[in-house]
Amino acid sequence: MIRKWRKQEKELRQVNKRKLSFHGNKARWPDLEEHLERWILDLRAAGRNVSTVTIRLKAKALAEELKIEHFEVGPSWCFRFMKRHHLAIRVRTTVAQQLPADYIDKLAVFRTYCSKLIADKLIQPNHITNMDELPLTFDIPMNHTVERKETSTVAIRTTGHEKSAFTVVLACHANGQKLPPMVIFKRKTLPKEKFPAGVIVKVNPKGWMDEEKMRDWLRDVYVKRPDGFFHGSPSVLICDSMRAHLTATVKNQIMKRNSELAVIPGGLTKELQPLDIGINRAFKSKLRAAWEQWMIAGEHSFTKSGRQRRASYATICQWIFAAWANVSACTDVRAFAKAGIISKEPHGNDGDSEKEERGGPVIWKARLGNCIILTQKMRSLRDLKVMMTCVNCKMSK
């Protein structure tokens, strides 16, 4: 055995020290298993489903081709084969958004466009707005729960409305200020319920954003933002390339409000949209917590067949209002900075030192190409000046 171990010294040093090394039986028909593994990997590369039953059927067919006798293809052999070749039964995962091939160039172009627009028109962070539609359902259950190990069936109770969808339109500014949410229910008429004052409720036969609802959002939410009614200050609205955002009527309404429309290129919302980057997830988690609390401790009504009724429209709107209000302003600002639309605010001593070095308080910090522009108020003896200074080039204007 010592001679054997000396021959296997290189292999023994590479295995896990906590496990027995090279134990168990080796493959009796290595050629068959090699062909079978290659066949499985080819199917998975093409996105095809492979089950243990199909593996056993294919192994039996390969055994007949290779003229192998006394080959029993049972479930036990199948799982041993999978263990030897590091295969396992996996759950289907959700495919994330695929980035385009030239996404790096598109990211740079969009960020440069936003930075130039902000710097040229001196757009303040409270006039940089991002809006997005978020599809939701009346039931928001978790797929995981705590249960005893020996329990064979794990069920999670809902009201049966996991597929009854509606839309929430969220919008926020780069300074952390949030606009009132707009909810679009899948109905033809408005529900006769008393809704909270901070939520705008609309209805649509499809329960989704279209050109009409986009015009309603501009009129009822975007225009009523602070300093937005008289359109005195320039602003920018950042949204994705959804068709309802790009119609001629919508573009004209945005232009009339002294605002520019910045459309995120298709396939890049998870890289450039602040709401997708760091805000929507926090909002949904708070909304799910409210739904779970209602399921546990709420006062419920039931149908004649004993099924629990879903939450009312007014209750849903109350959850949305509370969840949106509980999203912190720091979360919004970090999401805008991570998207590259604004630069990160100076923190701590760094920000104080910049103020002392340049002689005035920093109003706004933006990025223009390779330059970082600081806009400052410089008070002189005669008048009030606004100075723009580049941190990298050390040039002021």
Side-chain angles (χ1 to χ4, degrees), residues 296-328:
I296 294 172
E299 297 181 0
H300 308 295
S301 60
F302 299 87
T303 62
K304 293 182 180 180
S305 60
R307 292 184 59 183
Q308 180 180 334
R309 290 189 176 91
R310 60 164 177 78
S312 63
Y313 294 106
T315 304
I316 292 289
C317 292
Q318 290 175 0
W319 295 346
I320 292 171
F321 177 78
W324 186 232
N326 289 332
V327 176
S328 65

Side-chain angles (χ1 to χ4, degrees), residues 93-99 267 270:
T93 56
T94 304
V95 180
Q97 185 184 43
Q98 298 295 325
L99 294 174
K270 70 176 184 179

Side-chain angles (χ1 to χ4, degrees), residues 65-332:
E65 293 179 5
L66 299 175
K67 299 180 180 180
I68 299 175
E69 298 179 355
H70 309 292
F71 177 66
E72 297 181 0
V73 192
S76 178
W77 174 88
C78 182
F79 284 104
R80 290 199 305 271
F81 158 77
M82 292 169 61
K83 186 177 181 180
R84 282 193 291 269
H85 294 271
H86 306 287
L87 300 173
I89 299 174
R90 301 289 304 277
V91 179
R92 178 182 180 182
T93 56
T94 304
V95 180
Q97 185 184 43
Q98 298 295 325
L99 294 174
D102 56 344
Y103 79 97
I104 296 179
D105 296 336
K106 290 183 177 180
L107 289 177
V109 169
F110 182 80
R111 286 169 177 164
T112 304
Y113 169 76
C114 291
S115 300
K116 189 176 185 304
L117 185 64
I118 292 169
D120 291 347
K121 295 193 175 185
L122 294 177
I123 301 176
Q124 301 299 319
N126 58 332
H127 293 292
I128 303 173
T129 311
N130 176 224
M131 64 88 65
D132 187 27
E133 295 85 6
L134 188 63
L136 293 173
T137 57
F138 287 93
D139 285 344
I140 320 172
M142 290 286 292
N143 293 327
H144 307 280
T145 184
V146 178
E147 184 57 274
R148 291 183 178 273
K149 291 183 178 179
E150 60 270 14
T151 304
S152 59
T153 303
V154 180
I156 299 178
R157 184 178 178 182
T158 64
T159 63
H161 290 82
E162 297 92 336
K163 296 184 179 180
S164 300
F166 58 92
T167 302
V168 177
V169 185
L170 301 177
C172 59
H173 298 312
N175 65 343
Q177 186 178 4
K178 297 182 290 290
L179 297 180
M182 187 174 83
V183 187
I184 306 175
F185 289 115
K186 191 176 181 179
R187 291 171 55 96
K188 292 184 178 180
T189 58
L190 279 172
K192 296 181 180 180
E193 299 181 18
K194 186 177 181 180
F195 296 102
V199 179
I200 292 90
V201 180
K202 301 292 180 179
V203 293
N204 189 328
K206 295 184 179 180
W208 187 241
M209 176 69 81
D210 56 8
E211 183 181 356
E212 180 184 358
K213 292 297 170 285
M214 185 64 188
R215 294 199 304 267
D216 293 343
W217 181 85
L218 291 173
R219 183 185 66 250
D220 298 337
V221 180
Y222 190 64
V223 173
K224 294 182 180 180
R225 72 190 190 279
D227 196 22
F229 183 77
F230 295 103
H231 325 308
S233 302
S235 60
V236 57
L237 176 61
I238 303 170
C239 58
D240 56 27
S241 56
M242 183 181 178
R243 184 176 298 178
H245 304 159
L246 306 178
T247 61
T249 306
V250 171
K251 289 181 179 180
N252 291 333
Q253 289 191 10
I254 294 174
M255 290 178 62
K256 289 178 181 178
R257 290 164 175 81
N258 194 16
S259 182
E260 295 286 341
L261 180 63
V263 181
I264 298 173
L268 296 178
T269 54
K270 70 176 184 179
E271 297 288 338
L272 295 173
Q273 180 139 267
L275 284 164
D276 273 354
I277 290 174
I279 304 174
N280 287 345
R281 184 176 182 180
F283 170 74
K284 290 178 71 174
S285 65
K286 298 179 187 303
L287 192 64
R288 179 180 283 110
W291 177 83
E292 290 178 348
Q293 184 65 26
W294 176 79
M295 287 291 294
I296 294 172
E299 297 181 0
H300 308 295
S301 60
F302 299 87
T303 62
K304 293 182 180 180
S305 60
R307 292 184 59 183
Q308 180 180 334
R309 290 189 176 91
R310 60 164 177 78
S312 63
Y313 294 106
T315 304
I316 292 289
C317 292
Q318 290 175 0
W319 295 346
I320 292 171
F321 177 78
W324 186 232
N326 289 332
V327 176
S328 65
C330 295
T331 302
D332 300 346

Side-chain angles (χ1 to χ4, degrees), residues 381-393:
L381 295 176
R382 294 184 177 181
D383 55 359
L384 181 66
K385 298 181 180 180
V386 177
M387 177 178 290
M388 297 181 64
T389 307
C390 177
V391 175
N392 297 332
C393 305

